[in-house]
Amino acid sequence: MTTTSRAVLIDVPGGPEAMRLAEVPVGEPGPGEVRIRHHAIGLNFIDVYHRTGLYPLPMPARLGMEGAGVVEAVGQGVTHLQVGDRVAYAAQPPGSYCDVRVMPAMNVCRLPDAIGFEEGAAMMLKGLTAQYLLKHCRPVEGLQAGDWVLLHAAAGGVGLIACQWARSLGLRVIGTAGSDDKCRLAEAHGAEVCINYRTHNFVERVKAITGGQGVKVVYDSVGKDTWEGSLDCLQPFGLMVSFGNASGPVPPFAPGILGPKGSLYVTRQTLFTHIRSRERTQAMADDLFSVVTSGQVRIHVAQRFALADVQAAHRALEARQTIGSTILLP
Ligand code: NDP
């Protein structure tokens, strides 16, 4: 059977206007693949990097890495999914901005009954990221309840999930965000203190809050604007986890600067290393599903756009006008 689907395409990298809705053919799933009809699609900052060409894709390209829906057809060799299953995923290759798609089944997980499609589409890429940040990126001495960590963009999609999850692990979270309202939101989601880094020097505030000690880990997805300051917030042997570039990529740096700042560790992480096998994806997803179904982490879907309004959704995300998670509705 071949059907068609609306899908968002770009022919060349560019601004939000580079995205266009087109009708594309959809066939049967091949070995290791499934066909999914979306009920909701997740919007992520990585989609902006793909659209602008910061993370290059072969052109023309489809966009979107996260979605939730129902399995319509299952290819040969796929044993963990059946037709009719409610599912959600964070997965490569990009292409979730559409009604229906064929894709590799490896990163597709069955959704627990208690989790709706909107939450599912809003939480997989962001929630699995929070999972590995908190559980699989550790400083030398490990993270323990009571340790301070710094989390930038704390009121965003990854941010609100990570604040709540970190708090449930007993960590003391200092957040940063771009407005006082966003700070209050992050504090309502588990940040002990949130600093408006547009009006305050976050390095000085972190030092004051931690009694001069600094934090054990910095989770930095802002990149260029916060890089240097983030290093200065760390205690000796502290760990800098760089995982995004919302303000632009981190400029090249000399490793020698890490010594005098306290023998620091730096890592650059990407979710797709962590979810490179079915077993690992499922184990991380089960952990995420358990904190969501138990209520320890609530998924805050704060913005909804029609798929056809994808340009407006990207403009809002890039203009820092969104909070929590944003979804597109097919
Ligand atoms: P967010 O909802 O967090 O949106 C990005 C936020 O970054 C903005 O809301 C804004 O918050 C902040 N920001 C700071 N400076 C800028 C700037 N110059 N322009 C735009 N935004 C800025 O997005 P996501 O939850 O989708 O992703 C968060 C980050 O995590 C992104 O950088 C993303 O790439 C990264 N990520 C990395 C992954 C990985 O494995 N490496 C996986 C998933 C996400 P404020 O106004 O409060 O500063």
Side-chain angles (χ1 to χ4, degrees):
M1 181 201 93
T2 300
T3 178
T4 61
S5 168
R6 295 177 308 157
V8 173
L9 298 180
I10 55 169
D11 301 301
V12 285
E17 68 288 347
M19 294 182 288
R20 66 182 172 90
L21 210 49
E23 206 67 31
V24 299
V26 184
E28 290 299 320
E33 293 183 332
V34 278
R35 190 170 71 232
I36 295 173
R37 183 163 296 274
H38 289 133
H39 285 231
I41 298 155
L43 185 78
N44 290 282
F45 219 90
I46 191 172
D47 308 340
V48 173
Y49 308 145
H50 284 145
R51 197 204 69 221
T52 59
L54 178 65
Y55 295 175
L57 294 175
M59 294 290 139
R62 292 180 53 174
L63 295 179
M65 313 282 285
E66 191 180 38
V70 173
V71 173
E72 277 193 348
V74 178
Q76 213 185 354
V78 176
T79 53
H80 70 287
L81 297 173
Q82 292 182 343
V83 172
D85 280 348
R86 300 168 68 255
V87 293
Y89 65 85
Q92 291 173 319
S96 68
Y97 288 5
C98 65
D99 298 311
V100 54
R101 73 181 295 198
V102 169
M103 62 180 293
M106 186 184 86
N107 295 129
V108 179
C109 298
R110 290 175 62 191
L111 262 184
D113 292 343
I115 300 180
F117 287 122
E118 291 199 357
E119 279 175 291
M123 68 184 241
M124 293 299 280
L125 198 140
K126 303 164 193 77
L128 294 176
T129 299
Q131 204 275 356
Y132 86 70
L133 289 175
L134 294 168
K135 303 228 174 147
H136 302 290
C137 300
R138 292 171 184 278
V140 222
E141 296 140 18
L143 267 179
Q144 286 160 3
D147 285 338
W148 285 107
V149 299
L150 174 65
L151 172 70
H152 291 302
V158 174
L160 285 188
I161 296 174
C163 277
Q164 297 173 80
W165 205 333
R167 178 64 166 260
S168 78
L169 296 171
L171 299 173
R172 304 184 73 181
V173 180
I174 303 174
T176 61
S179 74
D180 292 345
D181 282 349
K182 286 185 178 185
C183 283
R184 276 193 288 274
L185 185 71
E187 286 169 354
H189 284 76
E192 193 164 321
V193 193
C194 186
I195 304 162
N196 180 343
Y197 51 7
R198 285 176 138 176
T199 55
H200 289 78
N201 178 319
F202 73 85
V203 181
E204 287 172 7
R205 293 281 297 122
V206 166
K207 285 283 161 59
I209 291 162
T210 59
Q213 298 298 301
V215 297
K216 213 164 190 176
V217 184
V218 179
Y219 299 108
D220 189 332
S221 64
V222 172
K224 180 168 69 67
D225 288 356
T226 45
W227 163 254
E228 190 92 39
S230 292
L231 294 179
D232 291 332
C233 289
L234 284 164
Q235 42 180 266
F237 306 112
L239 175 67
M240 165 74 168
V241 182
S242 168
F243 71 105
N245 345 257
S247 67
V250 173
F253 73 99
I257 65 169
L258 303 174
K261 287 184 188 292
S263 302
L264 303 180
Y265 292 81
V266 173
T267 180
R268 178 58 162 91
Q269 292 284 314
T270 176
L271 172 64
F272 293 98
T273 321
H274 292 271
I275 56 170
R276 65 194 180 281
S277 72
R278 160 105 278 282
E279 295 66 32
R280 214 164 140 73
T281 304
Q282 193 62 53
M284 289 172 65
D286 287 345
D287 197 16
L288 172 63
F289 295 152
S290 89
V291 291
V292 172
T293 52
S294 69
Q296 286 168 288
V297 172
R298 290 180 200 283
I299 306 301
H300 189 40
V301 180
Q303 297 81 211
R304 294 171 178 79
F305 292 86
L307 178 61
D309 293 331
V310 65
Q311 294 188 359
H314 271 229
R315 286 195 180 94
L317 185 61
E318 286 179 276
R320 305 167 78 162
Q321 286 165 355
T322 62
I323 49 170
S325 297
T326 303
I327 56 165
L328 302 172
L329 294 168

